[in-house]
């Protein structure tokens, strides 16, 4: 570990957008928050109405809606119509990447009806859900049954489809992997209108392994069967403060969930939930959780903290008190724990509404929080969008566990963003090689956290204004993201595709593995029907000509391979 020197930077001149962003809270309070609350409430009413229907009725409606999708796909004329996209508006996606590909001519398929939980199978321990079911909706149904998805992404608004086609993680990912690793089966409508069920061991197993991180470019996901686990009513959470240099902080984080003797699958040694928050280079709080029964939580002397109430301190600020209080333990109702970061959007809420963490605001207007990310995007315009990309960081770095210290040092030197979120996750060694994969030969190294079948990675969540911006210094956010991506490529890391990316097509496929994905695109007719994942993720506007030329090149390659004589 080198010294944590931060480069000196010249002062930055303010522009008109700075002032607009500074007073953006006015728009947020009087426009975004009321509309957000109304939309949340209407969504809730829709969910309640759906839950009043029997599973049989929901399945019948699902089958009818799938037939409509198939019919719509078959109406497309490949020579006249653009590539297939969902009819969802570009600003609705929760990710910060702007969905510019929809500005090119495209053929819309409406999937807005696919927002129902189709079945909770307690025998198979499977939840069958449609792609627009979100995390808040599913925990509201499952947690009262003492069940939950194995991985419940923290923000209420995140949808099953987005977490599968993109990326999803939670504090239980050090056991179960990413969200897509907990899926048992996908129901997919292919480019030719066929409806198939892909599992890890049926005839569509290649499609099953290719779908995660594919951004919906292999077919249209219409339902998924996802692993359920048994849970208890409370989470017993231990807050452990750590003070020291970055190397010591990193090791404390690793030790919080990875036994040094390598016994990574022992539930006695490994907590159910893990996360660590770094507040600066020398101070962090490691949190470890274990499910606890109502009887245990209510024993005399135990502290119950219902963090879900609107007037409660924001979770990351509450956790920070451990640095002064020392280690402490409390019991949090399970569903409230799952969504602990929703109200303040981790700590992004502090930038959006600088005073929203104050007691008076929490008490009077905290019930309106959080603003919908989609509405924040819809009200920002091109200039503010570019401003945030240049002066703000919202990125996740997925890095091998043993490289976390190096990555944190790099982030401090290049970006100086705090707090930082650390969450471990497994990347499994699979029969086929999907877009993200463990390092070759990792199982021979026997590093802390690894097993024979999975390498332990960590998500380093970097969400805030960089230190130089807060100090009024010059900062090139675009160049910082380029450097971050190059660092990830060189260190076998990955960048979730929800983020704004500067990757060229060549570097995109240096970071991710293309082989299985490209084979699946050709085999299942996605080429020429759905945009490729690189172009879907690419920053900036995509002209119809650019997209079509890229797709034509793929088509010609596919036809050339088909036309080759068999050996």
């Amino acid at each position: 570990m080198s010294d944590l020197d931060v480069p000196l930077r010249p002062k930055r001149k303010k522009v008109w957008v700075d002032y607009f962003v500074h007073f953006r809270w006015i728009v947020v309070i009087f426009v975004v928050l009321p509309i957000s609350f109304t939309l949340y409430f209407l969504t809730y009413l829709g969910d309640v109405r759906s839950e009043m229907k029997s599973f049989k009725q929901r399945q019948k409606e699902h089958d009818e809606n799938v037939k409509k999708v198939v019919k719509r796909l078959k109406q497309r004329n490949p020579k006249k119509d653009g590539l297939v996209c969902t009819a969802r508006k570009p600003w609705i996606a929760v990710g910060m990447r702007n969905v510019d590909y929809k500005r090119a001519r495209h053929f819309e398929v409406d999937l807005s009806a696919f927002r129902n939980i189709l079945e909770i199978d307690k025998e198979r321990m499977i939840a069958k859900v449609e792609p627009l079911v979100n995390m808040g909706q599913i925990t509201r149904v499952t947690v009262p049954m003492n069940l939950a998805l194995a991985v419940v992404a923290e923000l209420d608004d995140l949808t099953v489809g987005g977490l599968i086609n993109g990326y999803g993680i939670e504090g239980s990912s050090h056991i179960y992997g990413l969200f897509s690793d907990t899926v048992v089966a996908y129901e997919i409508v292919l480019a030719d209108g066929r409806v198939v069920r892909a599992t890890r061991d049926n005839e569509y197993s290649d499609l099953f392994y290719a779908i995660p991180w594919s951004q919906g470019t292999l077919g249209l996901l219409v339902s998924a069967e996802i692993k359920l686990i048994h849970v208890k009513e409370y989470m017993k959470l231990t807050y452990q403060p750590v003070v020291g240099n970055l190397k010591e902080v990193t090791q404390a984080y690793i030790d919080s969930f990875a036994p040094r003797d390598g016994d990574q699958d022992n539930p006695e040694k490994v907590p159910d939930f893990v996360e660590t928050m770094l507040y600066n280079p020398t101070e962090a709080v490691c949190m470890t959780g274990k499910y606890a029964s109502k009887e245990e939580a209510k024993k005399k002397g135990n502290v119950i903290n219902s963090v879900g109430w609107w007037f409660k301190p924001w979770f990351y600020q509450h956790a920070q008190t451990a640095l002064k209080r020392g280690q402490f333990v409390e019991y949090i109702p399970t569903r409230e724990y799952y969504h602990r970061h929703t109200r303040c959007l981790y700590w992004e809420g502090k930038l959006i509404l600088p005073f929203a963490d104050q007691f008076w605001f929490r008490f009077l207007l905290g019930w309106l929080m959080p603003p919908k990310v989609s509405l924040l995007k819809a009200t920002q315009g091109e200039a503010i969008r570019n401003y945030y990309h240049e002066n703000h960081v919202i990125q996740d770095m997925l890095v091998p566990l043993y490289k976390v210290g190096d990555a944190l040092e790099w982030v401090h030197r290049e970006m100086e963003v705090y707090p930082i979120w650390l969450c471990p996750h497994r990347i499994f060694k699979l029969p086929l090689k999907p877009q993200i994969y463990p390092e070759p030969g990792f199982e021979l190294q026997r590093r802390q956290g690894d097993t024979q079948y999975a390498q332990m990675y960590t998500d380093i969540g970097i969400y805030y204004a960089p230190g130089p911006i807060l100090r009024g210094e010059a900062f090139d956010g675009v160049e910082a993201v380029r450097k971050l991506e190059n660092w990830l490529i060189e260190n076998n890391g990955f960048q979730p595709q929800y983020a704004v990316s500067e990757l060229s097509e060549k570097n995109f496929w240096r970071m991710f593995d293309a082989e299985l994905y490209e084979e699946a695109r050709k085999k299942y007719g996605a080429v020429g029907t759905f945009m490729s994942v690189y172009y879907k993720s690419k920053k900036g506007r995509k002209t119809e000509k650019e997209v079509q030329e890229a797709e034509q090149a793929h088509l010609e390659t596919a036809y050339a391979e088909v036309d080759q004589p068999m050996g």
Side-chain angles (χ1 to χ4, degrees):
M1 293 280 181
S2 63
D3 293 332
L4 291 175
D5 293 328
V6 174
L8 294 172
R9 305 173 196 262
K11 287 290 178 185
R12 172 179 164 273
K13 290 181 181 177
K14 287 197 171 186
V15 293
W16 70 268
V17 187
D18 284 287
Y19 299 100
F20 192 92
V21 169
H22 183 72
F23 291 104
R24 196 178 173 208
W25 61 267
I26 298 171
V27 176
V28 173
I29 285 182
F30 293 106
V31 179
V32 175
L33 281 182
I35 296 174
S36 295
F37 181 80
T38 304
L39 290 174
Y40 282 125
F41 184 66
L42 291 174
T43 302
Y44 171 74
L45 291 180
D47 296 344
V48 170
R49 192 171 62 187
S50 168
E51 286 158 25
M52 290 170 72
K53 299 172 186 173
S54 67
F55 284 134
K56 191 174 180 181
Q57 190 180 350
R58 290 183 226 174
Q59 184 64 50
K60 185 182 175 186
E61 288 177 9
H62 172 79
D63 294 339
E64 288 169 0
N65 288 328
V66 170
K67 285 176 187 172
K68 289 178 187 174
V69 170
V70 171
K71 184 181 177 183
R72 174 68 176 154
L73 267 180
K74 290 187 174 177
Q75 290 170 348
R76 175 176 174 264
N77 182 339
K79 292 180 180 176
K80 292 181 181 177
D81 297 318
L83 297 172
V84 172
C85 290
T86 64
R88 204 175 186 203
K89 297 301 177 191
W91 51 269
I92 289 178
V94 175
M96 296 314 294
R97 174 174 53 82
N98 289 286
V99 192
D100 287 316
Y101 61 86
K102 289 194 176 182
R103 298 186 189 189
R105 183 164 58 98
H106 58 277
F107 183 82
E108 288 191 346
V109 178
D110 187 2
L111 299 181
S112 60
F114 291 88
R115 49 175 309 105
N116 295 313
I117 297 169
L118 299 174
E119 186 181 10
I120 301 294
D121 188 331
K122 294 181 182 178
E123 286 186 18
R124 291 174 62 219
M125 289 297 284
I126 297 294
K128 186 179 181 184
V129 299
E130 293 180 322
L132 289 181
V133 168
N134 66 36
M135 294 297 100
Q137 182 182 353
I138 199 159
T139 56
R140 197 162 49 242
V141 171
T142 58
V143 171
M145 303 178 185
N146 282 6
L147 299 172
L149 298 184
V151 173
V152 183
E154 277 89 352
L155 303 182
D156 286 33
D157 249 7
L158 296 171
T159 63
V160 166
L163 296 168
I164 286 170
N165 284 308
Y167 148 86
I169 189 172
E170 200 220 22
S172 59
S173 290
H174 64 296
I175 299 171
Y176 301 106
L178 297 177
F179 188 88
S180 52
D181 293 314
T182 67
V183 179
V184 173
Y186 301 107
E187 184 184 11
I188 302 285
V189 181
L190 298 177
D192 61 3
R194 278 184 298 153
V195 182
V196 302
R197 181 174 179 269
T199 70
R200 66 184 71 240
D201 51 13
N202 73 358
E203 60 189 299
Y204 300 106
S205 60
D206 54 347
L207 183 62
F208 177 87
Y209 288 114
I211 283 169
W213 295 69
S214 68
Q215 299 287 335
T217 60
L218 295 171
L220 297 171
L221 177 70
V222 289
S223 78
E225 295 167 48
I226 309 170
K227 178 187 175 78
L228 287 168
I229 59 170
H230 291 288
V231 301
K232 296 177 183 177
E233 294 89 351
Y234 285 84
M235 184 66 64
K236 179 185 178 183
L237 197 63
T238 302
Y239 301 80
Q240 177 64 55
V242 182
V243 178
N245 62 38
L246 209 44
K247 188 174 183 179
E248 291 165 340
V249 169
T250 301
Q251 191 56 54
Y253 159 68
I254 294 171
D255 287 341
S256 71
F257 66 91
R260 292 197 180 193
D261 61 7
D263 198 6
Q264 193 63 45
D265 290 320
N266 187 339
E268 298 297 317
K269 298 179 182 179
V270 179
D272 295 323
F273 273 77
V274 180
E275 70 178 330
T276 287
M277 288 186 270
L278 264 77
Y279 295 94
N280 57 56
T282 59
E283 292 182 321
V285 176
C286 299
M287 282 153 281
T288 52
K290 282 271 189 186
Y291 286 112
S293 66
K294 187 162 49 177
E295 292 74 26
E296 179 186 340
K298 293 191 173 179
K299 280 182 182 173
K300 192 176 178 182
N302 288 343
V303 176
I304 292 177
N305 182 9
S306 295
V307 298
W309 286 104
W310 75 89
F311 52 81
K312 287 279 190 170
W314 288 356
F315 183 76
Y316 81 97
Q317 294 176 338
H318 171 65
Q320 192 175 7
T321 62
L323 293 168
K324 290 182 179 177
R325 291 173 59 180
Q327 180 178 324
F328 67 97
V329 177
E330 61 186 17
Y331 291 79
I332 300 174
T334 296
R335 185 167 184 268
E336 293 181 27
Y337 176 76
Y338 286 153
H339 302 297
R340 63 201 176 279
H341 293 298
T342 292
R343 198 156 34 97
C344 52
L345 299 173
Y346 289 87
W347 28 86
E348 280 286 304
K350 181 74 174 166
L351 282 179
I352 298 163
L353 288 170
F355 43 77
D357 59 338
Q358 301 297 309
F359 176 77
W360 64 268
F361 183 92
R362 294 198 317 266
F363 191 80
L364 293 175
L365 294 172
W367 52 276
L368 286 170
M369 293 289 281
K372 281 185 85 75
V373 173
S374 54
L375 282 173
L376 290 171
K377 287 167 66 179
T379 57
Q380 67 186 18
E382 193 80 24
I384 297 177
R385 185 162 79 171
N386 292 333
Y387 174 90
Y388 276 118
H389 186 39
E390 291 160 10
N391 300 289
H392 197 93
V393 180
I394 297 184
Q395 296 281 341
D396 287 80
M397 302 171 71
L398 308 189
V399 301
L401 182 60
Y402 71 96
K403 291 189 175 179
V404 169
D406 295 336
L408 291 174
E409 190 177 297
W410 186 92
V411 171
H412 178 82
R413 189 172 58 248
E414 296 293 337
M415 295 180 171
E416 256 192 293
V417 174
Y418 294 96
I420 289 175
W421 188 62
L422 299 180
C423 185
H425 68 94
R426 280 174 161 164
I427 295 187
F428 295 97
K429 188 167 66 171
L430 300 170
L432 298 174
K433 195 177 182 185
Q435 282 190 55
I436 73 163
Y437 50 90
E439 294 177 303
F442 75 89
E443 64 273 28
L444 305 176
Q445 302 294 329
R446 302 193 174 186
R447 295 188 184 99
Q448 195 173 349
D450 293 352
T451 59
Q452 286 297 304
Y453 58 87
Q455 184 177 10
M456 195 67 76
Y457 268 60
T458 283
D459 180 338
I460 300 176
I462 316 163
Y463 330 118
Y464 211 62
I469 292 294
L470 296 175
R471 293 193 299 269
E473 298 170 3
F475 180 80
D476 187 341
V478 174
E479 184 57 28
V481 169
R482 283 198 190 105
K483 287 181 179 178
L484 177 146
E485 290 165 342
N486 288 333
W487 192 94
L488 286 172
I489 289 169
E490 289 162 9
N491 289 276
N492 301 306
F494 304 98
Q495 174 194 40
Q497 295 151 353
Y498 81 85
V500 179
S501 170
E502 297 291 335
L503 287 168
S504 65
E505 188 166 10
K506 180 182 177 184
N507 280 343
F508 185 89
W509 292 120
R510 283 177 66 205
M511 183 180 288
F512 301 103
D513 193 273
E515 188 175 354
L516 176 65
Y517 170 75
E518 292 292 2
E519 283 176 4
R521 271 180 60 80
K522 291 165 189 170
K523 179 177 175 182
Y524 295 105
V527 179
T529 302
F530 300 103
M531 187 179 293
S532 79
V533 68
Y534 169 70
Y535 275 92
K536 201 164 182 182
S537 304
K538 187 184 174 208
K539 176 192 167 193
R541 298 189 181 208
K542 290 89 173 166
T543 65
E544 186 180 337
K545 185 171 181 284
E546 178 190 17
V547 171
Q548 287 183 338
E549 284 176 355
E551 285 302 298
Q552 190 59 38
H554 278 288
L555 274 172
E556 286 166 3
T557 308
Y559 292 148
E561 290 177 4
V562 169
D563 291 342
Q564 282 179 356
M566 297 295 286

